[in-house]
């Protein structure tokens, strides 16, 4: 979605390594919610809709996502999680 210029809503840090994947795009193109709280989900969706920036983010592709996923897993393993 980001590579096509769309905004996205994702789970908060407790449920997804958002900083690993999205970093400085949070609250700009990526909007965070608690997936168990409908008010949080509604707010994140509304924020994403209100943001009219539809600039494609070319740094997102399957190869990069795979590398970042491996990095996140290795980080968790090193912490013994």
């Amino acid at each position: 979605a980001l590579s096509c210029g769309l905004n996205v809503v994702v789970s908060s840090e407790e449920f997804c390594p958002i900083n690993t994947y999205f970093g400085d795009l949070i609250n700009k193109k990526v909007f965070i919610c608690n997936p168990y709280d409908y008010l949080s989900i509604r707010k994140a969706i509304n924020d994403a809709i209100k943001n009219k920036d539809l600039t494609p983010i070319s740094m997102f592709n399957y190869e990069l996502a795979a590398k970042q996923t491996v990095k996140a897993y290795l980080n968790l393993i090193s912490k013994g999680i």
Side-chain angles (χ1 to χ4, degrees), residues 2-38:
L2 289 169
S3 67
C4 294
L6 301 174
N7 299 323
V8 297
V9 173
V10 299
S11 295
S12 56
E13 184 68 36
E14 298 87 6
F15 307 100
C16 175
I18 57 174
N19 290 318
T20 300
Y21 292 110
F22 306 114
D24 61 347
L25 295 175
I26 296 171
N27 295 322
K28 296 175 185 165
K29 300 279 300 163
V30 177
F31 299 88
I32 311 304
C33 72
N34 177 337
Y36 297 104
D37 179 356
Y38 76 92

PDB file of all heavy atoms in Angstrom, residues 2-38:
ATOM      1  N   LEU A   2       1.916   1.271   0.846  1.00  0.00           N
ATOM      2  CA  LEU A   2       2.782   2.453   0.924  1.00  0.00           C
ATOM      3  C   LEU A   2       3.498   2.713  -0.396  1.00  0.00           C
ATOM      4  O   LEU A   2       3.671   3.860  -0.792  1.00  0.00           O
ATOM      5  CB  LEU A   2       3.792   2.306   2.059  1.00  0.00           C
ATOM      6  CG  LEU A   2       3.200   2.394   3.465  1.00  0.00           C
ATOM      7  CD1 LEU A   2       4.227   1.965   4.502  1.00  0.00           C
ATOM      8  CD2 LEU A   2       2.702   3.798   3.761  1.00  0.00           C
ATOM      9  N   SER A   3       3.893   1.656  -1.077  1.00  0.00           N
ATOM     10  CA  SER A   3       4.594   1.846  -2.346  1.00  0.00           C
ATOM     11  C   SER A   3       3.669   2.412  -3.417  1.00  0.00           C
ATOM     12  O   SER A   3       4.135   2.944  -4.422  1.00  0.00           O
ATOM     13  CB  SER A   3       5.230   0.539  -2.823  1.00  0.00           C
ATOM     14  OG  SER A   3       4.240  -0.406  -3.157  1.00  0.00           O
ATOM     15  N   CYS A   4       2.357   2.322  -3.195  1.00  0.00           N
ATOM     16  CA  CYS A   4       1.376   2.903  -4.118  1.00  0.00           C
ATOM     17  C   CYS A   4       0.895   4.270  -3.655  1.00  0.00           C
ATOM     18  O   CYS A   4       0.043   4.870  -4.296  1.00  0.00           O
ATOM     19  CB  CYS A   4       0.183   1.964  -4.249  1.00  0.00           C
ATOM     20  SG  CYS A   4       0.588   0.412  -5.039  1.00  0.00           S
ATOM     21  N   GLY A   5       1.403   4.756  -2.517  1.00  0.00           N
ATOM     22  CA  GLY A   5       1.040   6.071  -2.030  1.00  0.00           C
ATOM     23  C   GLY A   5      -0.081   6.088  -1.019  1.00  0.00           C
ATOM     24  O   GLY A   5      -0.498   7.152  -0.571  1.00  0.00           O
ATOM     25  N   LEU A   6      -0.592   4.924  -0.662  1.00  0.00           N
ATOM     26  CA  LEU A   6      -1.698   4.866   0.293  1.00  0.00           C
ATOM     27  C   LEU A   6      -1.192   4.943   1.729  1.00  0.00           C
ATOM     28  O   LEU A   6      -0.078   4.524   2.032  1.00  0.00           O
ATOM     29  CB  LEU A   6      -2.489   3.575   0.096  1.00  0.00           C
ATOM     30  CG  LEU A   6      -3.083   3.392  -1.306  1.00  0.00           C
ATOM     31  CD1 LEU A   6      -3.713   2.025  -1.425  1.00  0.00           C
ATOM     32  CD2 LEU A   6      -4.085   4.486  -1.608  1.00  0.00           C
ATOM     33  N   ASN A   7      -2.020   5.463   2.610  1.00  0.00           N
ATOM     34  CA  ASN A   7      -1.718   5.461   4.039  1.00  0.00           C
ATOM     35  C   ASN A   7      -2.152   4.117   4.617  1.00  0.00           C
ATOM     36  O   ASN A   7      -3.042   3.457   4.066  1.00  0.00           O
ATOM     37  CB  ASN A   7      -2.458   6.602   4.731  1.00  0.00           C
ATOM     38  CG  ASN A   7      -2.037   7.945   4.197  1.00  0.00           C
ATOM     39  OD1 ASN A   7      -0.881   8.167   3.888  1.00  0.00           O
ATOM     40  ND2 ASN A   7      -2.982   8.859   4.057  1.00  0.00           N
ATOM     41  N   VAL A   8      -1.545   3.724   5.717  1.00  0.00           N
ATOM     42  CA  VAL A   8      -1.882   2.436   6.318  1.00  0.00           C
ATOM     43  C   VAL A   8      -2.129   2.587   7.814  1.00  0.00           C
ATOM     44  O   VAL A   8      -1.629   3.514   8.456  1.00  0.00           O
ATOM     45  CB  VAL A   8      -0.779   1.381   6.074  1.00  0.00           C
ATOM     46  CG1 VAL A   8      -0.615   1.089   4.601  1.00  0.00           C
ATOM     47  CG2 VAL A   8       0.541   1.805   6.674  1.00  0.00           C
ATOM     48  N   VAL A   9      -2.889   1.638   8.358  1.00  0.00           N
ATOM     49  CA  VAL A   9      -3.128   1.531   9.797  1.00  0.00           C
ATOM     50  C   VAL A   9      -2.538   0.204  10.234  1.00  0.00           C
ATOM     51  O   VAL A   9      -2.795  -0.834   9.619  1.00  0.00           O
ATOM     52  CB  VAL A   9      -4.647   1.581  10.110  1.00  0.00           C
ATOM     53  CG1 VAL A   9      -4.906   1.291  11.573  1.00  0.00           C
ATOM     54  CG2 VAL A   9      -5.220   2.930   9.708  1.00  0.00           C
ATOM     55  N   VAL A  10      -1.714   0.238  11.284  1.00  0.00           N
ATOM     56  CA  VAL A  10      -1.070  -0.974  11.785  1.00  0.00           C
ATOM     57  C   VAL A  10      -1.209  -1.053  13.300  1.00  0.00           C
ATOM     58  O   VAL A  10      -1.497  -0.058  13.962  1.00  0.00           O
ATOM     59  CB  VAL A  10       0.424  -1.029  11.397  1.00  0.00           C
ATOM     60  CG1 VAL A  10       0.600  -1.045   9.887  1.00  0.00           C
ATOM     61  CG2 VAL A  10       1.195   0.111  12.005  1.00  0.00           C
ATOM     62  N   SER A  11      -0.975  -2.247  13.831  1.00  0.00           N
ATOM     63  CA  SER A  11      -1.021  -2.465  15.279  1.00  0.00           C
ATOM     64  C   SER A  11       0.101  -1.724  15.975  1.00  0.00           C
ATOM     65  O   SER A  11       1.160  -1.487  15.394  1.00  0.00           O
ATOM     66  CB  SER A  11      -0.901  -3.955  15.591  1.00  0.00           C
ATOM     67  OG  SER A  11      -1.997  -4.653  15.091  1.00  0.00           O
ATOM     68  N   SER A  12      -0.104  -1.411  17.228  1.00  0.00           N
ATOM     69  CA  SER A  12       0.896  -0.704  18.020  1.00  0.00           C
ATOM     70  C   SER A  12       2.107  -1.589  18.311  1.00  0.00           C
ATOM     71  O   SER A  12       2.108  -2.789  18.032  1.00  0.00           O
ATOM     72  CB  SER A  12       0.269  -0.200  19.321  1.00  0.00           C
ATOM     73  OG  SER A  12      -0.316  -1.272  20.027  1.00  0.00           O
ATOM     74  N   GLU A  13       3.124  -0.995  18.879  1.00  0.00           N
ATOM     75  CA  GLU A  13       4.423  -1.645  19.130  1.00  0.00           C
ATOM     76  C   GLU A  13       4.284  -2.950  19.916  1.00  0.00           C
ATOM     77  O   GLU A  13       5.070  -3.868  19.721  1.00  0.00           O
ATOM     78  CB  GLU A  13       5.349  -0.680  19.869  1.00  0.00           C
ATOM     79  CG  GLU A  13       6.748  -1.197  20.101  1.00  0.00           C
ATOM     80  CD  GLU A  13       7.553  -1.354  18.816  1.00  0.00           C
ATOM     81  OE1 GLU A  13       7.399  -0.541  17.904  1.00  0.00           O
ATOM     82  OE2 GLU A  13       8.362  -2.310  18.743  1.00  0.00           O
ATOM     83  N   GLU A  14       3.297  -3.050  20.781  1.00  0.00           N
ATOM     84  CA  GLU A  14       3.114  -4.280  21.565  1.00  0.00           C
ATOM     85  C   GLU A  14       2.791  -5.479  20.685  1.00  0.00           C
ATOM     86  O   GLU A  14       3.017  -6.613  21.084  1.00  0.00           O
ATOM     87  CB  GLU A  14       1.976  -4.115  22.590  1.00  0.00           C
ATOM     88  CG  GLU A  14       2.198  -3.057  23.619  1.00  0.00           C
ATOM     89  CD  GLU A  14       1.746  -1.667  23.175  1.00  0.00           C
ATOM     90  OE1 GLU A  14       1.149  -1.515  22.098  1.00  0.00           O
ATOM     91  OE2 GLU A  14       2.014  -0.715  23.915  1.00  0.00           O
ATOM     92  N   PHE A  15       2.282  -5.239  19.494  1.00  0.00           N
ATOM     93  CA  PHE A  15       1.823  -6.308  18.623  1.00  0.00           C
ATOM     94  C   PHE A  15       2.600  -6.413  17.312  1.00  0.00           C
ATOM     95  O   PHE A  15       2.455  -7.398  16.597  1.00  0.00           O
ATOM     96  CB  PHE A  15       0.337  -6.108  18.298  1.00  0.00           C
ATOM     97  CG  PHE A  15      -0.512  -5.942  19.520  1.00  0.00           C
ATOM     98  CD1 PHE A  15      -0.912  -4.684  19.936  1.00  0.00           C
ATOM     99  CD2 PHE A  15      -0.883  -7.038  20.279  1.00  0.00           C
ATOM    100  CE1 PHE A  15      -1.691  -4.532  21.075  1.00  0.00           C
ATOM    101  CE2 PHE A  15      -1.652  -6.893  21.416  1.00  0.00           C
ATOM    102  CZ  PHE A  15      -2.061  -5.634  21.817  1.00  0.00           C
ATOM    103  N   CYS A  16       3.408  -5.412  16.981  1.00  0.00           N
ATOM    104  CA  CYS A  16       4.097  -5.362  15.691  1.00  0.00           C
ATOM    105  C   CYS A  16       5.358  -4.499  15.827  1.00  0.00           C
ATOM    106  O   CYS A  16       5.301  -3.447  16.456  1.00  0.00           O
ATOM    107  CB  CYS A  16       3.145  -4.747  14.659  1.00  0.00           C
ATOM    108  SG  CYS A  16       3.846  -4.470  13.036  1.00  0.00           S
ATOM    109  N   PRO A  17       6.484  -4.930  15.267  1.00  0.00           N
ATOM    110  CA  PRO A  17       7.706  -4.111  15.359  1.00  0.00           C
ATOM    111  C   PRO A  17       7.655  -2.903  14.428  1.00  0.00           C
ATOM    112  O   PRO A  17       8.382  -2.808  13.440  1.00  0.00           O
ATOM    113  CB  PRO A  17       8.814  -5.094  14.970  1.00  0.00           C
ATOM    114  CG  PRO A  17       8.142  -6.054  14.049  1.00  0.00           C
ATOM    115  CD  PRO A  17       6.718  -6.186  14.554  1.00  0.00           C
ATOM    116  N   ILE A  18       6.781  -1.963  14.739  1.00  0.00           N
ATOM    117  CA  ILE A  18       6.529  -0.845  13.835  1.00  0.00           C
ATOM    118  C   ILE A  18       7.735   0.038  13.600  1.00  0.00           C
ATOM    119  O   ILE A  18       7.936   0.535  12.503  1.00  0.00           O
ATOM    120  CB  ILE A  18       5.329   0.005  14.309  1.00  0.00           C
ATOM    121  CG1 ILE A  18       5.553   0.521  15.718  1.00  0.00           C
ATOM    122  CG2 ILE A  18       4.045  -0.770  14.191  1.00  0.00           C
ATOM    123  CD1 ILE A  18       4.501   1.466  16.214  1.00  0.00           C
ATOM    124  N   ASN A  19       8.563   0.233  14.622  1.00  0.00           N
ATOM    125  CA  ASN A  19       9.749   1.083  14.427  1.00  0.00           C
ATOM    126  C   ASN A  19      10.719   0.449  13.447  1.00  0.00           C
ATOM    127  O   ASN A  19      11.366   1.147  12.673  1.00  0.00           O
ATOM    128  CB  ASN A  19      10.416   1.392  15.760  1.00  0.00           C
ATOM    129  CG  ASN A  19       9.572   2.331  16.590  1.00  0.00           C
ATOM    130  OD1 ASN A  19       9.013   3.283  16.071  1.00  0.00           O
ATOM    131  ND2 ASN A  19       9.455   2.055  17.874  1.00  0.00           N
ATOM    132  N   THR A  20      10.817  -0.866  13.465  1.00  0.00           N
ATOM    133  CA  THR A  20      11.695  -1.571  12.531  1.00  0.00           C
ATOM    134  C   THR A  20      11.249  -1.331  11.099  1.00  0.00           C
ATOM    135  O   THR A  20      12.065  -1.111  10.212  1.00  0.00           O
ATOM    136  CB  THR A  20      11.671  -3.088  12.808  1.00  0.00           C
ATOM    137  OG1 THR A  20      12.114  -3.312  14.143  1.00  0.00           O
ATOM    138  CG2 THR A  20      12.561  -3.850  11.844  1.00  0.00           C
ATOM    139  N   TYR A  21       9.955  -1.369  10.873  1.00  0.00           N
ATOM    140  CA  TYR A  21       9.434  -1.264   9.519  1.00  0.00           C
ATOM    141  C   TYR A  21       9.165   0.165   9.060  1.00  0.00           C
ATOM    142  O   TYR A  21       9.379   0.487   7.900  1.00  0.00           O
ATOM    143  CB  TYR A  21       8.133  -2.062   9.386  1.00  0.00           C
ATOM    144  CG  TYR A  21       8.338  -3.546   9.485  1.00  0.00           C
ATOM    145  CD1 TYR A  21       7.895  -4.258  10.589  1.00  0.00           C
ATOM    146  CD2 TYR A  21       8.984  -4.243   8.474  1.00  0.00           C
ATOM    147  CE1 TYR A  21       8.079  -5.621  10.678  1.00  0.00           C
ATOM    148  CE2 TYR A  21       9.180  -5.609   8.554  1.00  0.00           C
ATOM    149  CZ  TYR A  21       8.717  -6.295   9.662  1.00  0.00           C
ATOM    150  OH  TYR A  21       8.920  -7.635   9.748  1.00  0.00           O
ATOM    151  N   PHE A  22       8.662   1.007   9.957  1.00  0.00           N
ATOM    152  CA  PHE A  22       8.126   2.280   9.510  1.00  0.00           C
ATOM    153  C   PHE A  22       8.847   3.525  10.008  1.00  0.00           C
ATOM    154  O   PHE A  22       8.723   4.584   9.402  1.00  0.00           O
ATOM    155  CB  PHE A  22       6.641   2.372   9.871  1.00  0.00           C
ATOM    156  CG  PHE A  22       5.849   1.200   9.365  1.00  0.00           C
ATOM    157  CD1 PHE A  22       5.260   0.313  10.242  1.00  0.00           C
ATOM    158  CD2 PHE A  22       5.718   0.967   8.007  1.00  0.00           C
ATOM    159  CE1 PHE A  22       4.537  -0.770   9.773  1.00  0.00           C
ATOM    160  CE2 PHE A  22       4.997  -0.110   7.526  1.00  0.00           C
ATOM    161  CZ  PHE A  22       4.406  -0.983   8.418  1.00  0.00           C
ATOM    162  N   GLY A  23       9.569   3.443  11.119  1.00  0.00           N
ATOM    163  CA  GLY A  23      10.383   4.545  11.625  1.00  0.00           C
ATOM    164  C   GLY A  23       9.736   5.907  11.538  1.00  0.00           C
ATOM    165  O   GLY A  23       8.729   6.179  12.178  1.00  0.00           O
ATOM    166  N   ASP A  24      10.301   6.788  10.710  1.00  0.00           N
ATOM    167  CA  ASP A  24       9.841   8.175  10.651  1.00  0.00           C
ATOM    168  C   ASP A  24       8.546   8.371   9.857  1.00  0.00           C
ATOM    169  O   ASP A  24       8.053   9.489   9.735  1.00  0.00           O
ATOM    170  CB  ASP A  24      10.933   9.079  10.091  1.00  0.00           C
ATOM    171  CG  ASP A  24      11.351   8.726   8.673  1.00  0.00           C
ATOM    172  OD1 ASP A  24      10.988   7.639   8.197  1.00  0.00           O
ATOM    173  OD2 ASP A  24      12.025   9.552   8.046  1.00  0.00           O
ATOM    174  N   LEU A  25       7.952   7.309   9.347  1.00  0.00           N
ATOM    175  CA  LEU A  25       6.669   7.421   8.643  1.00  0.00           C
ATOM    176  C   LEU A  25       5.476   7.370   9.599  1.00  0.00           C
ATOM    177  O   LEU A  25       4.343   7.654   9.200  1.00  0.00           O
ATOM    178  CB  LEU A  25       6.523   6.305   7.608  1.00  0.00           C
ATOM    179  CG  LEU A  25       7.513   6.342   6.451  1.00  0.00           C
ATOM    180  CD1 LEU A  25       7.341   5.110   5.573  1.00  0.00           C
ATOM    181  CD2 LEU A  25       7.321   7.604   5.641  1.00  0.00           C
ATOM    182  N   ILE A  26       5.738   7.021  10.855  1.00  0.00           N
ATOM    183  CA  ILE A  26       4.665   6.928  11.847  1.00  0.00           C
ATOM    184  C   ILE A  26       4.034   8.299  12.038  1.00  0.00           C
ATOM    185  O   ILE A  26       4.725   9.304  12.202  1.00  0.00           O
ATOM    186  CB  ILE A  26       5.199   6.353  13.171  1.00  0.00           C
ATOM    187  CG1 ILE A  26       5.673   4.913  12.954  1.00  0.00           C
ATOM    188  CG2 ILE A  26       4.143   6.427  14.273  1.00  0.00           C
ATOM    189  CD1 ILE A  26       6.416   4.306  14.115  1.00  0.00           C
ATOM    190  N   ASN A  27       2.719   8.317  12.010  1.00  0.00           N
ATOM    191  CA  ASN A  27       1.881   9.519  12.106  1.00  0.00           C
ATOM    192  C   ASN A  27       1.999  10.438  10.889  1.00  0.00           C
ATOM    193  O   ASN A  27       1.520  11.564  10.932  1.00  0.00           O
ATOM    194  CB  ASN A  27       2.147  10.305  13.394  1.00  0.00           C
ATOM    195  CG  ASN A  27       1.747   9.517  14.610  1.00  0.00           C
ATOM    196  OD1 ASN A  27       0.733   8.811  14.598  1.00  0.00           O
ATOM    197  ND2 ASN A  27       2.528   9.602  15.661  1.00  0.00           N
ATOM    198  N   LYS A  28       2.651   9.956   9.834  1.00  0.00           N
ATOM    199  CA  LYS A  28       2.716  10.692   8.574  1.00  0.00           C
ATOM    200  C   LYS A  28       2.019   9.896   7.473  1.00  0.00           C
ATOM    201  O   LYS A  28       1.195  10.433   6.745  1.00  0.00           O
ATOM    202  CB  LYS A  28       4.164  10.975   8.182  1.00  0.00           C
ATOM    203  CG  LYS A  28       4.875  11.880   9.169  1.00  0.00           C
ATOM    204  CD  LYS A  28       6.331  12.034   8.819  1.00  0.00           C
ATOM    205  CE  LYS A  28       7.029  12.841   9.908  1.00  0.00           C
ATOM    206  NZ  LYS A  28       8.474  12.746   9.824  1.00  0.00           N
ATOM    207  N   LYS A  29       2.393   8.653   7.312  1.00  0.00           N
ATOM    208  CA  LYS A  29       1.789   7.742   6.333  1.00  0.00           C
ATOM    209  C   LYS A  29       1.303   6.468   7.022  1.00  0.00           C
ATOM    210  O   LYS A  29       0.515   5.730   6.455  1.00  0.00           O
ATOM    211  CB  LYS A  29       2.803   7.350   5.253  1.00  0.00           C
ATOM    212  CG  LYS A  29       3.376   8.466   4.447  1.00  0.00           C
ATOM    213  CD  LYS A  29       2.516   8.943   3.322  1.00  0.00           C
ATOM    214  CE  LYS A  29       2.203   7.873   2.312  1.00  0.00           C
ATOM    215  NZ  LYS A  29       1.068   8.229   1.465  1.00  0.00           N
ATOM    216  N   VAL A  30       1.826   6.203   8.222  1.00  0.00           N
ATOM    217  CA  VAL A  30       1.503   4.992   8.984  1.00  0.00           C
ATOM    218  C   VAL A  30       0.852   5.416  10.295  1.00  0.00           C
ATOM    219  O   VAL A  30       1.437   6.179  11.057  1.00  0.00           O
ATOM    220  CB  VAL A  30       2.782   4.170   9.263  1.00  0.00           C
ATOM    221  CG1 VAL A  30       2.474   2.957  10.104  1.00  0.00           C
ATOM    222  CG2 VAL A  30       3.450   3.771   7.954  1.00  0.00           C
ATOM    223  N   PHE A  31      -0.347   4.905  10.527  1.00  0.00           N
ATOM    224  CA  PHE A  31      -1.102   5.298  11.711  1.00  0.00           C
ATOM    225  C   PHE A  31      -1.309   4.079  12.607  1.00  0.00           C
ATOM    226  O   PHE A  31      -1.646   3.000  12.136  1.00  0.00           O
ATOM    227  CB  PHE A  31      -2.417   5.950  11.290  1.00  0.00           C
ATOM    228  CG  PHE A  31      -2.156   7.189  10.472  1.00  0.00           C
ATOM    229  CD1 PHE A  31      -1.991   7.118   9.103  1.00  0.00           C
ATOM    230  CD2 PHE A  31      -1.992   8.410  11.090  1.00  0.00           C
ATOM    231  CE1 PHE A  31      -1.706   8.244   8.347  1.00  0.00           C
ATOM    232  CE2 PHE A  31      -1.699   9.551  10.353  1.00  0.00           C
ATOM    233  CZ  PHE A  31      -1.560   9.464   8.988  1.00  0.00           C
ATOM    234  N   ILE A  32      -1.056   4.280  13.887  1.00  0.00           N
ATOM    235  CA  ILE A  32      -0.957   3.192  14.855  1.00  0.00           C
ATOM    236  C   ILE A  32      -2.262   3.041  15.636  1.00  0.00           C
ATOM    237  O   ILE A  32      -2.884   4.031  16.009  1.00  0.00           O
ATOM    238  CB  ILE A  32       0.183   3.484  15.858  1.00  0.00           C
ATOM    239  CG1 ILE A  32       1.473   3.880  15.121  1.00  0.00           C
ATOM    240  CG2 ILE A  32       0.416   2.312  16.787  1.00  0.00           C
ATOM    241  CD1 ILE A  32       1.963   2.902  14.113  1.00  0.00           C
ATOM    242  N   CYS A  33      -2.633   1.781  15.918  1.00  0.00           N
ATOM    243  CA  CYS A  33      -3.806   1.527  16.748  1.00  0.00           C
ATOM    244  C   CYS A  33      -3.575   0.316  17.638  1.00  0.00           C
ATOM    245  O   CYS A  33      -2.703  -0.509  17.378  1.00  0.00           O
ATOM    246  CB  CYS A  33      -5.040   1.294  15.885  1.00  0.00           C
ATOM    247  SG  CYS A  33      -5.043  -0.287  15.015  1.00  0.00           S
ATOM    248  N   ASN A  34      -4.367   0.244  18.691  1.00  0.00           N
ATOM    249  CA  ASN A  34      -4.444  -0.961  19.513  1.00  0.00           C
ATOM    250  C   ASN A  34      -5.497  -1.847  18.850  1.00  0.00           C
ATOM    251  O   ASN A  34      -6.663  -1.452  18.766  1.00  0.00           O
ATOM    252  CB  ASN A  34      -4.860  -0.599  20.937  1.00  0.00           C
ATOM    253  CG  ASN A  34      -5.029  -1.815  21.821  1.00  0.00           C
ATOM    254  OD1 ASN A  34      -5.261  -2.921  21.357  1.00  0.00           O
ATOM    255  ND2 ASN A  34      -4.923  -1.598  23.112  1.00  0.00           N
ATOM    256  N   PRO A  35      -5.145  -3.040  18.374  1.00  0.00           N
ATOM    257  CA  PRO A  35      -6.086  -3.863  17.626  1.00  0.00           C
ATOM    258  C   PRO A  35      -7.237  -4.407  18.471  1.00  0.00           C
ATOM    259  O   PRO A  35      -8.185  -4.970  17.926  1.00  0.00           O
ATOM    260  CB  PRO A  35      -5.214  -4.998  17.086  1.00  0.00           C
ATOM    261  CG  PRO A  35      -4.091  -5.088  18.054  1.00  0.00           C
ATOM    262  CD  PRO A  35      -3.831  -3.669  18.496  1.00  0.00           C
ATOM    263  N   TYR A  36      -7.170  -4.229  19.782  1.00  0.00           N
ATOM    264  CA  TYR A  36      -8.236  -4.698  20.663  1.00  0.00           C
ATOM    265  C   TYR A  36      -9.132  -3.565  21.160  1.00  0.00           C
ATOM    266  O   TYR A  36      -9.980  -3.791  22.015  1.00  0.00           O
ATOM    267  CB  TYR A  36      -7.636  -5.444  21.860  1.00  0.00           C
ATOM    268  CG  TYR A  36      -6.898  -6.684  21.438  1.00  0.00           C
ATOM    269  CD1 TYR A  36      -5.519  -6.713  21.403  1.00  0.00           C
ATOM    270  CD2 TYR A  36      -7.592  -7.830  21.049  1.00  0.00           C
ATOM    271  CE1 TYR A  36      -4.836  -7.848  20.996  1.00  0.00           C
ATOM    272  CE2 TYR A  36      -6.923  -8.964  20.642  1.00  0.00           C
ATOM    273  CZ  TYR A  36      -5.548  -8.968  20.622  1.00  0.00           C
ATOM    274  OH  TYR A  36      -4.883 -10.091  20.221  1.00  0.00           O
ATOM    275  N   ASP A  37      -8.954  -2.374  20.634  1.00  0.00           N
ATOM    276  CA  ASP A  37      -9.703  -1.205  21.087  1.00  0.00           C
ATOM    277  C   ASP A  37     -10.338  -0.526  19.876  1.00  0.00           C
ATOM    278  O   ASP A  37      -9.645   0.104  19.080  1.00  0.00           O
ATOM    279  CB  ASP A  37      -8.761  -0.251  21.815  1.00  0.00           C
ATOM    280  CG  ASP A  37      -9.425   1.010  22.317  1.00  0.00           C
ATOM    281  OD1 ASP A  37     -10.626   1.227  22.045  1.00  0.00           O
ATOM    282  OD2 ASP A  37      -8.730   1.801  22.972  1.00  0.00           O
ATOM    283  N   TYR A  38     -11.651  -0.676  19.728  1.00  0.00           N
ATOM    284  CA  TYR A  38     -12.305  -0.142  18.537  1.00  0.00           C
ATOM    285  C   TYR A  38     -12.178   1.378  18.423  1.00  0.00           C
ATOM    286  O   TYR A  38     -12.131   1.913  17.313  1.00  0.00           O
ATOM    287  CB  TYR A  38     -13.766  -0.587  18.449  1.00  0.00           C
ATOM    288  CG  TYR A  38     -14.707   0.139  19.378  1.00  0.00           C
ATOM    289  CD1 TYR A  38     -15.385   1.271  18.953  1.00  0.00           C
ATOM    290  CD2 TYR A  38     -14.926  -0.319  20.665  1.00  0.00           C
ATOM    291  CE1 TYR A  38     -16.243   1.942  19.794  1.00  0.00           C
ATOM    292  CE2 TYR A  38     -15.790   0.341  21.520  1.00  0.00           C
ATOM    293  CZ  TYR A  38     -16.447   1.474  21.071  1.00  0.00           C
ATOM    294  OH  TYR A  38     -17.304   2.138  21.908  1.00  0.00           O
TER     295      TYR A  38
END
